[in-house]
Amino acid sequence: MRYHEMNPEEIREKIQTDFNKGLTEEEVSRRRKQFGFNELQEGEKQSALLLFFSQFKDFMVIVLLVATLISGLLGEYIDAIAIMAIVLLNGILGFFQERRAEKSLEALKELSAPTATVLRNGKWVKIPSKEIVPGDIIRFASGDRIGADVRILEANSLEIEESALTGESVPTSKDTEVIHGENVGIGDMSNMAFMGTMVTRGSGVGVVIGTGMKTAMGQIADMLQTTETLTTPLQRRLEQLGKILIIVALFLTLLVVMIGIMQGHDLYTMFLSGVSLAVAAIPEGLPAIVTIALSLGVQRMIKKNSIVRKLPAVETLGCASVICSDKTGTMTQNKMTVTHLWANNEVWNVSGQGYVPEGKFMKNNNIVDPKKDVHFEKLLSFAILCNHANLITEKKNDYKLDGDPTEGALLVAGLKAGFTRENLLNEYTIIQEFPFDSARKMMTIIVENKKGERFAITKGAPDILIQLSESVFANGKEQHLTQQWINRLQQAVESLAKQALRTIAISYKKLNTKTTYVHESEVENNLTFIGLHGMIDPPRPEVKDAIKECKEAGIKTVMITGDHVITAKAIGKELGLIRSDSLVLDGATLDTMSVEELEEVVDRVSVFARVSPEHKLKIVKALQNNGHIVAMTGDGVNDAPAIKAADIGIAMGITGTDVAKESSSLVLLDDNFATIKAAIQEGRNIYENIRKFIRYLLASNVGEILVMLFAMILAMPLPLVPIQILWVNLVTDGLPAMALGLDRPEDDVMKRAPRSPKEGVFARGLGWKVISRGFLIGVATLIAFIVVYRNNPNDLAYAQTVAFATLVLAQLIHVFDCRSEHSIFSRNPFGNPYLVWAVISSVILLLVVIYYPPLATVFHTVPIVPRDWLLILAMASIPTFLLVGSLFIHKK
Ligand code: ATP
């Protein structure tokens, strides 16, 4: 017999678990040993050895190795071994860079791993889905991805989308009924939920019957082994650029070689120099360093509470021009407290702080008792019944909330009056529930009292409940909802909302015992309105500044909320979001507008209120059509389409559903708006850092090629020997470039307008900087070479050593200039300790190869006399300081 054919009793027998308490920890570890982790087996990964060898597969590197081999055979042992060693070092560097990049990408995957809520030792706990074992009892609700194969034991309006398994994108309704027959297809197993499928509505509880490869998903896991390689637009652009650079470098090298041969240099030397130059000038380290800069940035972002799920988002973040953010929990603290009540045309105040269930009820400054007032009694007690929140106390006076904060606030208000859920459940039995969803903005339960009378309790957005009501409970009885009453209710709502309070209305409706209700719309009508709860949800203190900083950075913040227009406006004002010319649009108005009509006004809208998640997509589209790069936050299933459509989809780490997280490219671990700002700042910084080392690497390469080219044109001897060229390449491609990737942002990084996503790598003067600095590095090196060579034409090795030292130092000085878009003086040049150390160690390495005799032999260097160091320093400074100087003159 298969699981769908068994009743719960038979399943419990078979799988040996306790439906009320779940498994014990000992049992879990026993089963983990038996069944292993709940994981699908992954495909083969590239082995470390393979990765290492792949470092040497570049065409030019192979040519270099062959050339070296030949020179070795011809007797140039030392040269050959040295070149091999450098190529090997280069390979090792590349290997570690790529390994590091890969590792951090893996760590990212780990961080965004799914979780599940399971019953263990009688307590509901959240664990990584990987740790689920057969026999676990798991709970799931709308937005969750099911973590294992499950036989459903409890289902409330449960619907699951199973397209991952069945290809059918319409969600299937689920229940707990036994299904007869062996050969039932997965699509028809309505009492089962499968790993990898997604809850789109309602909630449920089930017992795990299969994990890992023993799930329906595991059986087709092989088909799912599509490894997505995620490259960012910049990486792709650099790849193209790399190809162009290879051609340019090869062409120039060829030119150097040809001119050299024409000038009478011997073929063999020119060949080896040419190949070395080509290897040096091709920025083969670029892609790996870019990946490292991206992934290091991503790690910095994790420290600031945001997880990047898709690497390209790092770049897009820097382009964001609009942030559309949810209000509740993102801009506000989501710590709600009921402070006002309205019923029977009276306003009461409630005292007390946070979730501590102690406080007094006051009417016109006099203490009152809700238990003695039938209206307030209903208002408070019904709000506890139609509610899933729980208050947890582990220590005295330390109350934590388990559940939705809005419901928590209602629960605490009721507890303050002395109502408890336990007592209420003695009086009422809950028969059925229609869960809350942000599109309906309400929730309903059906209860039966001791007398066998049934009625529905609905709680939800007041403006919507008013429309659905036909009477109001006042003066101890149901009264017809006249226009006068409607006005009174609306005024009550508005007066609470103006104080930035979130409002929830409670209503009820008598029901017929015989009728069964399938759809909520059958119940949510002709209600009797009882009253209102008004709750505060203070803004997060850091959000106001974050919004201001975004504004300075040319990024507009838009608040999107399901809350009442007036509440939203009041909070928007508090946060400095609403200016005199700002518009506030509500969901009803949005419904009447086409995307085109919205485009016309959307740039002026600061607040969208009383919207449903479905509206978010329209807002994203309108903004994008106006040329904006949109960041959009969300948490529920219905938010997923908008999150996906946005340029940067952002999901909430705490309140977000799996579905929202999976659609997103960024997850906020703390659900905080200020974190979005921090992520954007980091995104801009990462991009700037990448620009920094592209600029540095390419200018260095241009310098290396030009010094050789100019020397050949001027019929000079070779200013650098091959091994020196390779050494320069190793040192400059290595530490200093990586240190630039770790640089801190410039002060004005959040004072600039967002970058255009169409902007090329060399935009904003970068191309000019590369060529001009590179040109000067080449010329300055050549001048140093010529001066020394003219002085003593018999000692070519000495002149070459001077050229070598000048080239290296010119690059090491220039690297400080690369830290700023403005000039080397615009920030403390020694502000990046990594860079300072990278440069110091490169200088030490330079001195070692010049002054340590065994290495000096290898690198064909001779000791430089102190006087010539002055020349070297002067020449090496020119490329950086000459242009900075000209900049000054220009400005004046
Ligand atoms: P956002 O998170 O987008 O800023 P929100 O959280 O205020 O918005 P929703 O959660 O969609 O938006 O809530 C919309 C309205 O529905 C609220 O203003 C409130 O009146 C009502 N509401 C919220 N939570 C519940 C609930 N648990 N039960 C019944 N009604 C609710």
Side-chain angles (χ1 to χ4, degrees):
M1 197 149 73
R2 293 170 67 193
Y3 287 103
H4 63 268
E5 300 170 83
M6 300 181 195
N7 63 36
E9 220 16 76
E10 290 164 327
I11 292 176
R12 180 163 43 203
E13 271 299 299
K14 166 125 202 225
I15 208 134
Q16 288 293 315
T17 186
D18 181 333
F19 287 171
N20 298 317
K21 287 209 172 116
L23 300 171
T24 60
E25 282 310 321
E26 300 81 64
E27 187 56 23
V28 168
S29 29
R30 202 190 60 73
R31 292 190 188 201
R32 167 111 12 87
K33 277 202 196 95
Q34 186 183 349
F35 299 101
F37 277 109
N38 177 32
E39 287 173 318
L40 298 182
Q41 266 144 35
E42 284 211 17
E44 289 280 299
K45 272 205 215 102
Q46 191 182 21
S47 74
L49 204 66
L50 221 63
L51 182 66
F52 179 71
F53 282 118
S54 74
Q55 303 300 318
F56 305 98
K57 68 174 197 295
D58 264 4
F59 176 67
M60 284 322 290
V61 174
I62 293 171
V63 174
L64 180 66
L65 286 175
V66 172
T68 321
L69 204 69
I70 296 171
S71 74
L73 292 176
L74 291 175
E76 304 270 348
Y77 303 121
I78 298 183
D79 259 12
I81 293 171
I83 291 179
M84 293 275 193
I86 286 199
V87 171
L88 193 71
L89 273 178
N90 227 333
I92 292 174
L93 181 75
F95 170 75
F96 279 112
Q97 285 175 340
E98 273 190 43
R99 263 299 257 217
R100 166 104 220 221
E102 215 171 68
K103 278 262 149 64
S104 33
L105 291 181
E106 260 169 39
L108 278 188
K109 241 167 91 195
E110 196 77 351
L111 270 172
S112 46
T115 55
T117 310
V118 305
L119 187 62
R120 296 254 174 102
N121 280 331
K123 273 201 188 129
W124 287 106
V125 287
K126 213 168 185 169
I127 57 163
S129 297
K130 190 176 129 179
E131 292 173 13
I132 300 174
V133 293
D136 265 330
I137 309 297
I138 69 171
R139 186 167 83 178
F140 35 85
S142 158
D144 288 346
R145 201 169 275 284
I146 305 277
D149 282 3
V150 168
R151 168 65 159 85
I152 300 168
L153 302 172
E154 229 180 276
N156 295 309
S157 314
L158 184 62
E159 284 181 15
I160 297 186
E161 197 252 292
E162 300 179 322
S163 63
L165 283 174
T166 59
E168 172 59 58
S169 61
V170 180
T172 334
S173 248
K174 296 282 179 176
D175 51 42
T176 57
E177 299 297 313
V178 172
I179 300 168
H180 297 288
E182 273 274 318
N183 297 324
V184 179
I186 282 182
D188 298 321
M189 292 189 187
S190 55
N191 58 10
M192 301 277 295
F194 299 98
M195 179 194 228
T197 60
M198 183 172 101
V199 184
T200 51
R201 188 160 181 268
S203 59
V205 173
V207 51
V208 173
I209 52 97
T211 57
M213 295 304 280
K214 297 247 160 56
T215 56
M217 191 60 99
Q219 283 165 15
I220 56 165
D222 287 340
M223 296 186 327
L224 300 171
Q225 299 292 350
T226 44
T227 34
E228 219 180 327
T229 40
L230 277 175
T231 52
T232 76
L234 180 70
Q235 283 176 313
R236 285 194 293 274
R237 225 179 277 157
L238 284 179
E239 223 165 81
Q240 277 168 2
L241 175 75
K243 283 184 192 143
I244 299 172
L245 287 178
I246 290 179
I247 296 172
V248 174
L250 285 180
F251 172 75
L252 289 176
T253 310
L254 207 66
L255 207 63
V256 172
V257 174
M258 274 175 8
I259 300 177
I261 294 170
M262 280 186 325
Q263 304 280 18
H265 290 283
D266 80 273
L267 200 75
Y268 169 74
T269 315
M270 279 326 293
F271 176 65
L272 205 58
S273 301
V275 179
S276 306
L277 197 56
V279 170
I282 293 167
E284 75 284 344
L286 208 55
I289 302 185
V290 170
T291 314
I292 292 184
L294 287 171
S295 58
L296 285 180
V298 166
Q299 275 159 16
R300 278 198 300 273
M301 286 163 94
I302 294 173
K303 289 205 188 101
K304 292 181 189 157
N305 285 326
S306 45
I307 294 183
V308 174
R309 290 191 63 257
K310 295 172 189 152
L311 210 49
V314 180
E315 265 168 56
T316 327
L317 270 172
C319 305
S321 60
V322 178
I323 308 173
C324 297
S325 168
D326 287 338
K327 169 181 73 71
T328 311
T330 316
M331 294 186 160
T332 65
Q333 300 181 8
N334 212 0
K335 288 205 182 99
M336 313 230 189
T337 318
V338 173
T339 57
H340 292 67
L341 298 174
W342 182 100
N344 196 25
N345 217 12
E346 284 173 9
V347 177
W348 288 17
N349 295 90
V350 190
S351 70
Q353 294 262 313
Y355 294 125
V356 183
E358 286 161 20
K360 295 194 170 57
F361 293 81
M362 325 269 278
K363 177 170 127 187
N364 301 327
N365 292 327
N366 298 317
I367 294 180
V368 274
D369 182 359
K371 284 197 165 162
K372 295 196 176 124
D373 183 309
V374 62
H375 311 93
F376 286 88
E377 182 201 334
K378 274 198 173 28
L379 179 65
L380 288 158
S381 59
F382 283 6
I384 293 190
L385 273 176
C386 185
N387 193 320
H388 284 293
N390 285 306
L391 210 54
I392 304 168
T393 39
E394 273 162 8
K395 279 184 276 168
K396 203 169 169 254
N397 280 338
D398 180 18
Y399 293 91
K400 285 211 180 66
L401 178 72
D402 171 29
D404 172 21
T406 304
E407 297 192 341
L410 298 175
L411 175 68
V412 170
L415 291 172
K416 284 176 182 169
F419 299 107
T420 64
R421 192 176 287 140
E422 292 72 44
N423 289 345
L424 289 165
L425 286 177
N426 287 334
E427 268 178 68
Y428 301 98
T429 315
I430 299 177
I431 312 279
Q432 202 180 344
E433 175 186 328
F434 297 105
F436 173 75
D437 82 55
S438 344
R440 260 163 58 240
K441 300 187 174 44
M442 55 190 152
M443 155 180 181
T444 298
I445 55 167
I446 298 177
V447 293
E448 189 174 287
N449 63 14
K450 286 266 177 283
K451 292 186 214 146
E453 294 164 335
R454 277 194 186 180
F455 49 98
I457 300 173
T458 301
K459 80 175 199 299
D463 33 335
I464 294 171
L465 291 205
I466 293 173
Q467 284 169 19
L468 297 175
S469 296
E470 57 159 21
S471 55
V472 54
F473 186 69
N475 299 321
K477 56 181 193 288
E478 289 167 20
Q479 304 195 9
H480 179 63
L481 192 70
T482 55
Q483 189 54 45
Q484 193 189 12
W485 267 114
I486 293 180
N487 293 346
R488 276 184 194 154
L489 297 182
Q490 280 169 344
Q491 269 166 17
V493 174
E494 275 181 30
S495 104
L496 295 181
K498 273 195 184 131
Q499 302 168 57
L501 299 175
R502 182 179 173 88
T503 48
I504 292 277
I506 308 287
S507 60
Y508 71 96
K509 176 187 179 175
K510 292 203 179 91
L511 297 177
N512 190 329
T513 334
K514 308 268 169 353
T515 325
T516 44
Y517 299 93
V518 183
H519 197 264
E520 59 261 2
S521 58
E522 297 167 52
V523 189
E524 290 167 347
N525 57 45
N526 302 338
L527 308 172
T528 302
F529 197 95
I530 303 172
L532 298 166
H533 290 254
M535 50 186 83
I536 49 163
D537 176 17
R540 288 176 182 267
E542 60 279 20
V543 168
K544 194 171 176 181
D545 283 340
I547 292 177
K548 201 167 137 229
E549 278 180 59
C550 284
K551 202 171 145 202
E552 285 168 357
I555 305 161
K556 186 182 160 181
T557 307
V558 178
M559 178 163 103
I560 301 188
T561 175
D563 237 335
H564 196 280
V565 178
I566 300 175
T567 309
K569 243 189 196 166
I571 292 182
K573 279 211 180 104
E574 266 179 56
L575 291 171
L577 202 73
I578 298 185
R579 291 186 317 252
S580 54
D581 61 339
S582 302
L583 286 179
V584 176
L585 273 192
D586 64 8
T589 317
L590 263 179
D591 276 333
T592 64
M593 294 172 112
S594 65
V595 175
E596 291 74 29
E597 282 166 330
L598 183 57
E599 273 168 37
E600 297 204 352
V601 292
V602 73
D603 280 336
R604 283 191 292 136
V605 183
S606 298
V607 174
F608 289 94
R610 270 291 183 255
V611 291
S612 305
E614 287 72 18
H615 290 125
K616 286 183 168 180
L617 189 61
K618 204 169 180 180
I619 298 171
V620 169
K621 286 209 171 123
L623 283 166
Q624 283 175 332
N625 289 351
N626 282 358
H628 285 291
I629 302 296
V630 186
M632 168 67 86
T633 69
D635 46 20
V637 198
N638 305 341
D639 289 332
I643 297 182
K644 249 189 210 151
D647 301 277
I648 306 153
I650 304 173
M652 299 300 141
I654 305 170
T655 57
T657 55
D658 294 345
V659 178
K661 287 182 195 164
E662 283 166 23
S663 321
S664 71
S665 42
L666 191 76
V667 176
L668 304 181
L669 289 178
D670 57 358
D671 293 12
N672 189 342
F673 177 85
T675 303
I676 306 177
K677 187 221 85 192
I680 289 183
Q681 191 166 1
E682 198 54 65
R684 287 187 175 196
N685 184 32
I686 293 172
Y687 190 83
E688 290 307 312
N689 282 355
I690 292 175
R691 270 170 67 89
K692 287 175 194 172
F693 60 69
I694 289 181
R695 172 178 163 192
Y696 167 68
L697 280 181
L698 295 189
S700 298
N701 293 349
V702 169
E704 288 155 25
I705 294 190
L706 289 187
V707 66
M708 297 290 278
L709 183 65
F710 292 155
M712 293 304 98
I713 293 174
L714 294 177
M716 302 287 297
L718 283 172
L720 297 163
V721 298
I723 184 94
Q724 291 168 349
I725 299 175
L726 290 172
W727 189 93
V728 173
N729 179 50
L730 177 71
V731 174
T732 52
D733 267 10
L735 294 177
M738 276 161 73
L740 277 179
L742 290 171
D743 210 9
R744 270 178 314 168
E746 281 194 84
D747 291 340
D748 64 348
V749 68
M750 285 301 269
K751 302 244 154 46
R752 306 174 194 158
R755 188 181 88 239
S756 154
K758 295 198 196 87
E759 181 185 295
V761 184
F762 294 116
R764 286 180 278 142
L766 196 83
W768 164 244
K769 279 182 180 148
V770 166
I771 293 178
S772 58
R773 285 353 182 239
F775 176 82
L776 286 175
I777 290 176
V779 171
T781 308
L782 191 66
I783 293 177
F785 175 71
I786 294 176
V787 169
V788 179
Y789 182 65
R790 285 272 151 85
N791 243 347
N792 188 2
N794 296 327
D795 198 350
L796 177 60
Y798 187 77
Q800 282 172 332
T801 311
V802 168
F804 174 54
T806 310
L807 180 63
V808 172
L809 283 187
Q811 294 184 355
L812 293 180
I813 294 174
H814 176 235
V815 75
F816 290 103
D817 189 30
C818 296
R819 291 185 60 225
S820 169
E821 293 276 323
H822 311 290
S823 92
I824 191 167
F825 297 119
S826 69
R827 58 193 311 203
N828 173 7
F830 307 115
N832 177 351
Y834 304 106
L835 187 63
V836 173
W837 283 114
V839 169
I840 291 178
S841 41
S842 302
V843 170
I844 293 175
L845 282 174
L846 174 71
L847 296 177
V848 170
V849 292
I850 294 178
Y851 290 104
Y852 180 56
L855 283 180
T857 326
V858 174
F859 285 92
H860 302 273
T861 55
V862 281
I864 298 173
V865 298
R867 192 201 47 192
D868 284 337
W869 276 111
L870 284 180
L871 171 77
I872 293 172
L873 271 176
M875 284 300 133
S877 308
I878 284 179
T880 301
F881 293 106
L882 185 73
L883 286 178
V884 175
S886 76
L887 204 78
F888 265 126
I889 298 163
H890 225 69
K891 272 195 182 153
K892 276 183 187 161

